[in-house]
Amino acid sequence: MEKKLYSLEMSNNNRLTRIFRFILGLLCIVIAIYWVVFNLKQSRYDWSSWASSIFLVCFGVYMIWTSFKYGFNFIEFEENIIRLKNNTFLPVKEIECVNISEIDIFPLKFVIHLKSGKKILTRFGLSDLERNENIKDELLRYAERYNIRAQLMNEN
């Protein structure tokens, strides 16, 4: 089986978007540094200035981080492993087929039930319904290939 990768992102990030994110991130960090220096020179720094500066720095770092595709959410099907990154900040989860007890597929999400009793929930979103159907079809094929119980369900 060849490797199949599906994006879980709401939109495709082209090069122009990533460059814009990088510039915006740098701009936020520069503004935060300027704000700190300017207010320290004026000796009028209060808690709201610190909070806004910290927010700007964190947002700038996040924008730069995502501009290098580190926050990319995806699901990848390989020989007997599903790699899943459904949270920007958490690492990739590797799920072997022998550890999966069943897969519940809903219209806007799917739940992978592990034999350990743990559940992994992933939401699709509404932006690309065709991609959602492709992922559902691939989940069903994967489940059939490795004799995993999979069922299509309605939202309740």
Side-chain angles (χ1 to χ4, degrees), residues 21-55:
R21 282 184 181 187
F22 182 79
I23 292 170
L24 180 63
L26 280 179
L27 186 64
C28 287
I29 292 171
V30 168
I31 289 171
I33 292 170
Y34 171 77
W35 190 251
V36 168
V37 171
F38 177 76
N39 283 328
L40 285 177
K41 285 183 179 180
Q42 299 295 324
S43 299
R44 56 179 181 145
Y45 223 86
D46 59 347
W47 70 271
S48 64
S49 298
W50 281 108
S52 61
S53 297
I54 290 170
F55 174 78

Side-chain angles (χ1 to χ4, degrees), residues 8-20:
L8 295 175
E9 294 292 322
M10 290 179 58
S11 62
N12 293 330
N13 291 329
N14 58 20
R15 174 175 256 156
L16 182 63
T17 304
R18 290 194 315 266
I19 290 170
F20 177 74

Side-chain angles (χ1 to χ4, degrees), residues 28-144:
C28 287
I29 292 171
V30 168
I31 289 171
I33 292 170
Y34 171 77
W35 190 251
V36 168
V37 171
F38 177 76
N39 283 328
L40 285 177
K41 285 183 179 180
Q42 299 295 324
S43 299
R44 56 179 181 145
Y45 223 86
D46 59 347
W47 70 271
S48 64
S49 298
W50 281 108
S52 61
S53 297
I54 290 170
F55 174 78
L56 275 174
V57 168
C58 291
F59 183 72
V61 168
Y62 171 76
M63 293 303 282
I64 291 172
W65 188 57
T66 57
S67 72
F68 290 115
K69 290 189 174 181
Y70 289 120
F72 179 66
N73 298 327
F74 63 89
I75 182 168
E76 179 182 42
F77 298 93
E78 209 170 320
E79 186 59 37
N80 61 349
I81 295 175
I82 295 176
R83 285 187 183 81
L84 180 63
K85 182 165 173 54
N86 57 0
N87 187 308
T88 302
F89 300 107
L90 297 178
V92 175
K93 297 173 189 167
E94 286 193 2
I95 309 162
E96 293 186 33
C97 64
V98 296
N99 296 331
I100 301 173
S101 63
E102 72 177 287
I103 302 173
D104 294 334
I105 303 170
F106 295 88
L108 298 175
K109 66 182 178 184
F110 66 91
V111 180
I112 297 176
H113 299 269
L114 302 178
K115 291 181 179 174
S116 66
K118 185 178 175 186
K119 297 178 184 178
I120 300 173
L121 169 72
T122 302
R123 299 188 189 283
F124 290 124
L126 294 170
S127 62
D128 190 354
L129 297 177
E130 183 179 335
R131 179 206 57 202
N132 296 352
E133 292 302 318
N134 291 339
I135 293 172
K136 289 178 195 178
D137 292 341
E138 190 60 38
L139 280 167
L140 290 171
R141 281 193 294 271
Y142 186 86
E144 183 180 332

